Amino acid sequence: MKNKIFLLDGFALVFRAHFAFIKNPRINSKGLNTSSIFGFTTTLLDVIKNQKPTHLAVVFDTEDPTHRHEEFEAYKANREEAPEDLSIAIPYIFRLLDALNIKYYTLSGFEADDIIGTIASQSAAQPNTEVFMMTTDKDFGQLVSDNVHIYKPGRGASPAEVLGIKEVCERYGISHPRQVIDILGLMGDAVDNIPGIYGVGEKTATQLIREFGSVEGLLENTASLKGKLREKVEAGKEAAIQSKRLATIVCDAPISWTLQELELKPVNKEAVAELFAELEFRNLTQRIFSEPLQQGLFDTHEPSADPEPTENTHLQNIHTVPHQYHVAKTDQELETLMGILNNTNAFSIDTETTSLESMDAELVGISFAVQAHEAWYVPFPEAREETMRKLNLLKPVLENEKILKIGQNLKYDAGVLLNYGIMLSGTWFDTMLAHYVIEPEQRHNLDALSAVYLGYHPVAIDELIGAKGKAQKSMRDVPLQKIAEYAAEDADVTLQLYQHLSPELEKSASLGKVFSQIEMPLVPVLLRMERRGIRLDTETLREFSGLLDSDVKIKEKEIFESAGQAFNISSPRQLGEILFEKLQLDPKAKKTKTGQYATGEEVLARLAGKHPLINLILDYRELIKLKNTYVDTLPALVRKSSGHIHTSFNQAVAATGRLSSNNPNLQNIPIRTKLGKEIRKAFVPGGADRLIVSADYSQVELRIIASLSNETHMKEAFQKGLDIHTATASKVFGVSLDAVDADMRRKAKVVNFGIIYGISAFGLSERLSIPRQEAKEIIGNYFREFPGLQEYMDNNIAFARKHGYVETVFGRRRYLRDINSANAMTRGFAERNAINAPIQGSAADMIKLAMIRIDARMEKEKFRSGMVLQVHDELVFDAYLEEVEPLMALVKEEMCGAMPLQVPVEVDIRSGRNWLEAH
């Protein structure tokens, strides 16, 4: 058999994994950032499973200086110190490799590149052997030969690439891969701080090596060069020679290795299980043991045999936990259960159903738990009459307001019970939302929480009904014994999670307040909104779809005329060729890993004005998106029984506290463009005797930052009722209010909102298409005129560095575990969140509080009208005509008073025959 050797650049993959999760790091219950370990592990397992190497090794740098540092003191001097999380992660990486029985190498005085170069060149000399160097480093191109390749791991949707002699030579237009060293010698390498020849970039370096073959060949023929290029090359001779030497990968490092050492061997399952449990890699644990990566990989080093589970035990990792799960089928058994539930002050509840959509779901069973390790399961038949009879026996306890109801995603369970006319009454405690408040950026599903808090892995749903897809069974098809064990376990685990999470909330007055005064009271409000839904005028959308079809055809014709030819507008490859090869709109445009030009919206926005084709393409894309995403899709989501769309509102998704929605996502209904607004015409009231009422907070984030920062000038502008952007422009540009023109106001508006997100001079210059120096001056003027904002930002960052989190006005926390990182990029991201999170989070808390207050008032005052949508800072109501005026007064009062600020809170509120008219 052929030897297939994979050599991995360890630190490069660890760094890559860390920064892949920079915006949403994986933090386990002990506060350990496991992002880099997780990313490295999944990459390693994917390579083993998909590429099926026979041999594999991972190579790491050491902290010791190499011959390159000795020759050139500034070598890699510009590299920032690695983030602390990476230093902590490396020992875990080594433990992982030991557990997987994978060989890894380090060698003092040599870089990982040199070890890989040595092993690759030496192993390639052996017969019947193929080597793959797994790296993203372009330097490795110099090592490629007939049986030595670069394996570039994929990223996102981009697949992995294998680069051989042909690909490397085509990349640079050279005749031999070794010439990569010569190109690096001329252009240098900013990553490693290799200087090259000053003023010579990749394009020039490549042309010179194509012509002269090598650095030495070039330096012998500088007389044939002209003008400044000749001056640059002759002045940089020594730098070029030294840079080539620094860029050359050593292929004879004194590393001791054998082919046998690199062979993939069976792993130590017990060590892997122990490590993954410590890191809380539950899904990886399931994957690695349920789907062997390679035949024979887990054949040896088995842990001691697990005891066979009995009727009253379930496996907890490699331990057994006694429990009692009962089934209540008969009326007598139900009466026994009712006696238990009525004699407790709290129980957990979980429903088993036929659908994930609560309005469509039929009850299959309900499980209850009142103490850890004991639970009951009540099965229900398919016949609705019998189900209703049994539910009526349970109804008194389910609607008992004195008993605390505990659940995981209680909104779903309560919604299912509503299908049968039962209101789950009393105080609620949702373990999913409790954990969301405590750790907003972590996962909140039952399996993840169980693994973190209980060290326990419940039965997976796939074991009962199979994986998602056409072959998935209904819960009705699962045998009673299996579904009873599964359902009772969920109720049991949920109760135990409550016993862990409730004390955690009690430790923090602020988090307890967010949970008990915002998140939990909001659940029934959202449930009512979801059940009510909003009517959709499908005929309006059908007509709009026809108009869009016509507009698309007209736009296609205009695009072809502007481009001078017909092509597939939706093909990035064909569009890229038109823009960058035929029209030459950007000589610096580069192809992506897939061999095509980037043609995303950001790229096109940057080219706007260079050719009429750009705006035509952007218009075309808007038409297609509107048609496919909304106009043709929304009608299919209308519920036939109500004629309404019933979106689902999600609380435990955005770390900022913002609500999200899905099935469909109504948070993204377009509003900025004229065509996008037309979609809102189709959202109409539920009858001719009603109107749509829309109430929208005015500039709420700016008002919150004015209040939080106590900034005198900004507060004054709001208190006087001035247009904040005009007032800002007046200060920043040093003119009177009436002298502020539209351009000044536009720039001030971008700065006002950009400051919240930590916009830089570079970002502002890009956004406004102005010189960077002008952008820098605008920001400087801004902070001089609004010094309270700078002080607020500095204070927030200082608070975060001391405490590790920031808080909203109401006490919601956002943890910033990288705020003290030595890595500037990582730290900068955390600092921007330290500024922004309290603002966004306070805005989220404000509208949630408003929703709770409005809902309570409407119920108390017996309004027939209802709240139907929440979209960012806007609330939408379906209002009866006679209630429109009193409802608008009520809504405005409660929204303005939801969270008192140091500046007036304003609400824009209107009514109309559809959502667009009311906006």
Side-chain angles (χ1 to χ4, degrees), residues 464-503:
L464 272 70
I465 61 175
K468 289 182 180 179
K470 294 180 180 178
Q472 194 175 48
K473 295 189 296 185
S474 166
M475 290 296 276
R476 286 204 188 281
D477 301 328
V478 179
L480 178 60
Q481 186 177 356
K482 280 191 174 183
I483 196 172
E485 177 80 3
Y486 170 83
E489 181 183 66
D490 277 359
D492 179 12
V493 167
T494 300
L495 181 70
Q496 291 184 57
L497 288 174
Y498 162 74
Q499 293 166 348
H500 282 268
L501 294 170
S502 182

Side-chain angles (χ1 to χ4, degrees), residues 223 379 395 548:
K395 187 172 183 176
L548 289 176

Side-chain angles (χ1 to χ4, degrees), residues 274-507:
E274 180 182 345
L275 178 61
F276 282 9
E278 182 179 341
L279 295 170
E280 297 167 9
F281 288 173
R282 180 182 177 276
N283 289 337
L284 276 182
T285 303
Q286 287 184 336
R287 171 184 166 188
I288 199 169
F289 294 129
S290 64
E291 300 178 19
L293 300 174
Q294 187 167 308
Q295 190 66 33
L297 198 60
F298 299 123
D299 287 351
T300 61
H301 302 291
E302 296 283 351
S304 56
D306 298 325
E308 286 295 321
T310 64
E311 186 177 352
N312 291 322
T313 63
H314 184 69
L315 198 64
Q316 176 172 337
N317 295 336
I318 57 171
H319 309 291
T320 56
V321 177
H323 65 257
Q324 288 184 306
Y325 292 162
H326 315 277
V327 177
K329 290 192 294 183
T330 67
D331 287 1
Q332 185 178 354
E333 290 166 336
L334 267 178
E335 286 179 14
T336 301
L337 172 60
M338 286 286 291
I340 294 170
L341 296 179
N342 274 316
N343 286 319
T344 185
N345 58 9
F347 61 75
S348 66
I349 180 172
D350 183 64
T351 58
E352 300 306 328
T353 67
T354 57
S355 172
L356 294 175
E357 299 296 329
S358 65
M359 291 182 70
D360 297 325
E362 296 177 9
L363 264 177
V364 175
I366 305 179
S367 54
F368 302 90
V370 296
Q371 62 183 20
H373 310 304
E374 184 173 16
W376 291 74
Y377 177 69
V378 181
F380 294 97
E382 193 167 355
R384 187 176 178 88
E385 296 80 7
E386 178 62 12
T387 293
M388 286 301 302
R389 189 189 70 79
K390 294 178 73 173
L391 277 173
N392 283 331
L393 296 176
L394 289 168
K395 187 172 183 176
V397 74
L398 292 172
E399 295 189 343
N400 187 331
E401 294 189 354
K402 296 180 180 179
I403 301 175
L404 172 69
K405 313 302 192 301
I406 303 159
Q408 170 78 10
N409 190 14
L410 263 174
K411 177 156 67 72
Y412 175 83
D413 300 308
V416 172
L417 291 172
L418 278 177
N419 294 342
Y420 296 86
I422 293 175
M423 174 60 72
L424 191 65
S425 304
T427 306
W428 293 359
F429 187 103
D430 192 320
T431 51
M432 176 183 74
L433 294 180
H435 189 254
Y436 171 66
V437 170
I438 295 166
E439 287 286 358
E441 293 190 355
Q442 292 190 20
R443 292 171 295 163
H444 316 295
N445 62 71
L446 188 70
D447 290 354
L449 297 185
S450 179
V452 169
Y453 287 95
L454 310 178
Y456 184 81
H457 301 313
V459 174
I461 185 69
D462 290 0
E463 293 181 29
L464 272 70
I465 61 175
K468 289 182 180 179
K470 294 180 180 178
Q472 194 175 48
K473 295 189 296 185
S474 166
M475 290 296 276
R476 286 204 188 281
D477 301 328
V478 179
L480 178 60
Q481 186 177 356
K482 280 191 174 183
I483 196 172
E485 177 80 3
Y486 170 83
E489 181 183 66
D490 277 359
D492 179 12
V493 167
T494 300
L495 181 70
Q496 291 184 57
L497 288 174
Y498 162 74
Q499 293 166 348
H500 282 268
L501 294 170
S502 182
E504 281 202 40
L505 287 172
E506 291 172 3
K507 290 177 189 175

Side-chain angles (χ1 to χ4, degrees), residues 676-733:
K677 290 179 180 179
E678 290 296 306
I679 294 173
R680 296 198 173 202
K681 277 186 180 178
F683 290 85
V684 296
D689 56 346
R690 304 181 224 175
L691 291 176
I692 292 292
V693 170
S694 169
D696 197 354
Y697 276 120
S698 172
Q699 300 170 334
V700 66
E701 289 189 347
L702 293 179
R703 294 174 192 273
I704 287 170
I705 195 173
S707 185
L708 286 174
S709 65
N710 200 26
E711 212 308 302
T712 304
H713 291 150
M714 187 172 270
K715 283 167 54 182
E716 185 180 74
F718 281 123
Q719 287 162 354
K720 289 182 177 179
L722 300 176
D723 175 76
I724 188 63
H725 304 312
T726 300
T728 299
S730 172
K731 294 286 185 184
V732 170
F733 296 108

